[in-house]
Amino acid sequence: LKQNRVYDKKKAIEDEFAKWVNADATRKAKYGETLELLESAYKMTDETVVAGRYLLEAGVIGPQSTLYAWRLNRLMSAYFETANGIKEAQKGKSKEEKAKVAEEAEAKMQKFIAAAKGLTEEHFAEYHQATDINLIAELWQMYMDNISEAQRPAFFSEVIAAKYKGSVSAWTSTLAESSIFVDKEKMMAFLEEPNQKAYDKEMLPVASQQMLEMYFAAAESNAAAQEKLDKGYRLLTAGLREMNPDKKYAPDANSTIRMTYGTVGSYFPKDGVFYNYYTTIEGIMQKEDPSNDEFIVPAKLKELYMNKDYGQYANENGQLPVCFISNNDITGGNSGSPVINGKGELIGCAFDGNWEAMSGDIFFEEQLQRTISVDIRYVLFIIDKYAGAGHLVDEMTLVRSTSEESANANTEADKSEN
C-alpha cells in the first residue's frame, strides 16, 4: 500500500470527484453529501472499531470454544429454566395435571439435551484442545492488554484481573484441567445427568456470553454509521461511473460464480530481485525444516525425489513442476478455483497470492500482483506416485502438449515477464 501510494491515489480520486460535483448545481444536489457521509461514518466508529476488531478475532472467530460455549449455554439455560419452572407450573393443579406438566417439561428438556449432544459431537469432531487453549490464552491476553476496561466485558476485570492477577494463561490452565467445555468425555457425561450447581461454576459460558453480547451490541450501535457508509458508497460508486462514462468498471460479482483471465508470467518484486513463473520439487527440498510442522518433508516424498521417480508428470527437462504464478486477481474464498488454459483444459488450482498481492482488495497492481496455483502435474503426481492411488488417474483423460506447443507456451511466458 505504501509502495503503490494507494492513499494518495484514493485521495486524488476523492478530490477529483469533489471538484466535478461542485462544478454543477444538479450534481451537487445529487452527490453533494457523498464524502461528508463517509467521513462522518468513519468518525462515528473511530472510538470502537479497534475494540470491535479485537472482540471479533478473540471472541467470535478465533477460539472454537467461545462460540461453542455461547451456543451450548443457550440450550442449557433453556433446559434449567424449564426444569426449575416445573414446580411453579404445577401449583394449584390436580395430580393428573401435575403429571402432565412434568411429562411435557421432561420431553422439552430432552429435546434441549439432544440438541446439546448434537452440537457437542459437531464441535469436538474438529477440536484440538491444546491449540484452542493456546488461542484463548494469546488472543484474550492481547485483547485485555490493548483494549481499555470500559470496552471489555466485566469478566476480564472480575475474574482474570481480580482472581488471576491479569493473566489469561493462568485462567486457561484451570480451564484445561477442570472445564467440561474443553473435554468431550466430560461434557457428554455431564449431559447425561445435568447439574445446575456444577454448571454455574463454569466460567467459559459466562465469558462467551458477555463477549458475544458486547459484539452484537456494538454491531447494533454502529447501525447508524453503517447506514451512512452504505449510502455514501452507493453515491460515490454512481457518481464515479457518471463522472467517467468511458471507463470500464468490474461488476460486483459477490456471491456469484465468476471467471477471470490472465497470463502466466514471472515478475520483479523489487530492484535486483526476480521470481520465475514456476517452481519445482527442488524448492520443497530446499525449504525442508524438520523442526517446523509446515516444512516437514515426508520420507516417501524424499524417496521419490532422490530417485527422480516422477513418472509421466515431469516436464521436458525432467523436473517435477509444483506451482506457477499468473497475473490473475485472487481474494479470500478463491482457494481451490480451477485454472484452465485457452483450450478448456485444467492446468492447476489457485490457492494463494504473492506478498505484493495482499493489497489487491484495495488496489490492484498488475505489474506486481500474482496468483499462485499448484500445477496439475504435481497434483496428479501426489495422487499417483505418492499416495498410490493411480487408479483415480486412470479414470481421467490426461492431455499432453506437443513439443511445439510447449515451446510456444514457454516463449509466451518469457514475453510476459517484460
Side-chain angles (χ1 to χ4, degrees):
L1 293 174
K2 290 179 180 178
Q3 182 175 325
N4 289 319
R5 296 186 176 181
V6 174
Y7 175 85
D8 295 334
K9 291 175 181 176
K10 296 288 186 180
K11 184 66 169 60
I13 292 172
E14 287 189 3
D15 291 343
E16 184 184 0
F17 175 75
K19 184 178 179 181
W20 175 78
V21 169
N22 292 325
D24 182 89
T26 302
R27 293 198 292 259
K28 195 169 184 179
K30 187 176 181 181
Y31 299 114
E33 63 177 334
T34 304
L35 299 181
E36 188 179 312
L37 280 170
L38 295 174
E39 184 176 2
S40 173
Y42 283 117
K43 282 184 178 178
M44 289 171 69
T45 60
D46 279 350
E47 293 183 5
T48 60
V49 67
V50 175
R53 173 53 59 177
Y54 269 88
L55 188 58
L56 175 66
E57 298 287 347
V60 182
I61 62 175
Q64 287 179 282
S65 293
T66 312
L67 203 53
Y68 166 66
W70 178 74
R71 288 172 173 165
L72 191 89
N73 191 49
R74 295 169 70 188
L75 293 170
M76 296 313 300
S77 295
Y79 174 90
F80 290 125
E81 183 179 341
T82 303
N84 296 332
I86 294 176
K87 289 184 178 180
E88 184 65 29
Q90 289 177 329
K91 283 183 179 180
K93 289 183 168 55
S94 65
K95 185 177 181 180
E96 291 77 11
E97 289 174 329
K98 287 181 179 180
K100 186 176 181 181
V101 167
E103 184 181 346
E104 290 176 349
E106 181 62 28
K108 192 175 181 181
M109 290 159 61
Q110 287 308 311
K111 286 184 179 180
F112 291 133
I113 293 300
K117 288 181 178 179
L119 179 64
T120 299
E121 289 285 356
E122 181 183 346
H123 167 68
F124 282 101
E126 296 184 355
Y127 181 76
H128 188 264
Q129 189 195 79
T131 300
D132 200 60
I133 293 293
N134 287 337
L135 275 172
I136 294 174
E138 295 292 334
L139 292 176
W140 289 21
Q141 192 67 59
M142 289 173 66
Y143 178 52
M144 190 168 183
D145 292 343
N146 292 289
I147 301 303
S148 66
E149 183 176 349
Q151 292 186 307
R152 297 195 311 255
F155 171 83
F156 286 88
S157 300
E158 296 172 357
V159 177
I160 302 297
K163 299 180 180 179
Y164 292 88
K165 299 180 180 179
S167 172
V168 179
S169 61
W171 177 72
T172 54
S173 294
T174 302
L175 187 74
E177 291 173 6
S178 59
S179 178
I180 60 176
F181 282 88
V182 296
D183 188 304
K184 181 181 177 181
E185 290 185 6
K186 288 181 180 179
M187 177 57 78
M188 293 304 262
F190 170 81
L191 292 175
E192 290 298 327
E193 296 182 49
N195 181 291
Q196 187 164 8
K197 286 186 178 180
Y199 185 83
D200 288 344
K201 293 178 182 179
E202 292 286 341
M203 287 291 99
L204 190 58
V206 174
S208 66
Q209 185 69 24
Q210 290 183 8
M211 293 177 87
L212 268 294
E213 284 179 355
M214 180 168 280
Y215 174 74
F216 292 135
E220 190 174 327
S221 67
N222 286 329
Q226 188 60 52
E227 187 176 343
K228 286 188 175 184
L229 283 177
D230 291 342
K231 183 177 180 181
Y233 277 116
R234 281 198 303 270
L235 288 172
L236 181 63
T237 301
L240 289 175
R241 292 175 72 92
E242 187 177 328
M243 184 177 77
N244 303 304
D246 297 327
K247 183 175 179 179
K248 294 180 179 179
Y249 290 91
D252 181 352
N254 285 350
S255 301
T256 70
I257 297 175
R258 79 290 302 267
M259 181 180 290
T260 184
Y261 64 90
T263 306
V264 172
S266 310
Y267 76 109
F268 292 89
K270 53 188 175 182
D271 186 44
V273 178
F274 171 75
Y275 288 153
N276 200 2
Y277 67 90
Y278 74 97
T279 60
T280 71
I281 195 172
E282 297 288 341
I284 294 177
M285 300 306 156
Q286 291 169 8
K287 294 175 183 175
E288 180 182 15
D289 181 358
S291 65
N292 187 329
D293 288 345
E294 294 188 16
F295 294 95
I296 295 174
V297 179
K300 177 68 178 293
L301 187 59
K302 283 200 282 189
E303 180 184 347
L304 292 167
Y305 166 73
M306 294 299 293
N307 295 329
K308 298 296 183 283
D309 186 7
Y310 306 145
Q312 60 180 321
Y313 310 110
N315 62 19
E316 60 273 13
N317 298 318
Q319 301 170 313
L320 178 63
V322 174
C323 292
F324 63 90
I325 54 176
S326 62
N327 63 355
N328 294 82
D329 193 9
I330 190 168
T331 188
N334 283 161
S335 295
S337 296
V339 183
I340 302 168
N341 66 12
K343 297 180 180 180
E345 300 159 352
L346 181 67
I347 62 171
C349 293
F351 69 89
D352 207 349
N354 61 333
W355 180 245
E356 294 78 20
M358 293 302 102
S359 63
D361 285 353
I362 300 172
F363 181 81
F364 185 80
E365 172 51 71
E366 62 182 20
Q367 297 301 319
L368 288 176
Q369 294 179 218
R370 294 291 185 270
T371 288
I372 306 171
S373 303
V374 59
D375 194 298
I376 200 64
R377 288 170 289 186
Y378 188 67
V379 175
L380 294 171
F381 164 79
I382 291 295
I383 293 172
D384 185 356
K385 306 294 289 186
Y386 178 81
H391 59 285
L392 297 178
V393 177
D394 292 339
E395 298 176 9
M396 306 177 196
T397 300
L398 303 188
V399 181
R400 294 172 176 79
S401 299
T402 64
S403 298
E404 183 179 347
E405 287 175 331
S406 297
N408 291 336
N410 289 334
T411 300
E412 289 301 313
D414 293 336
K415 286 180 182 177
S416 69
E417 293 167 11
N418 301 315

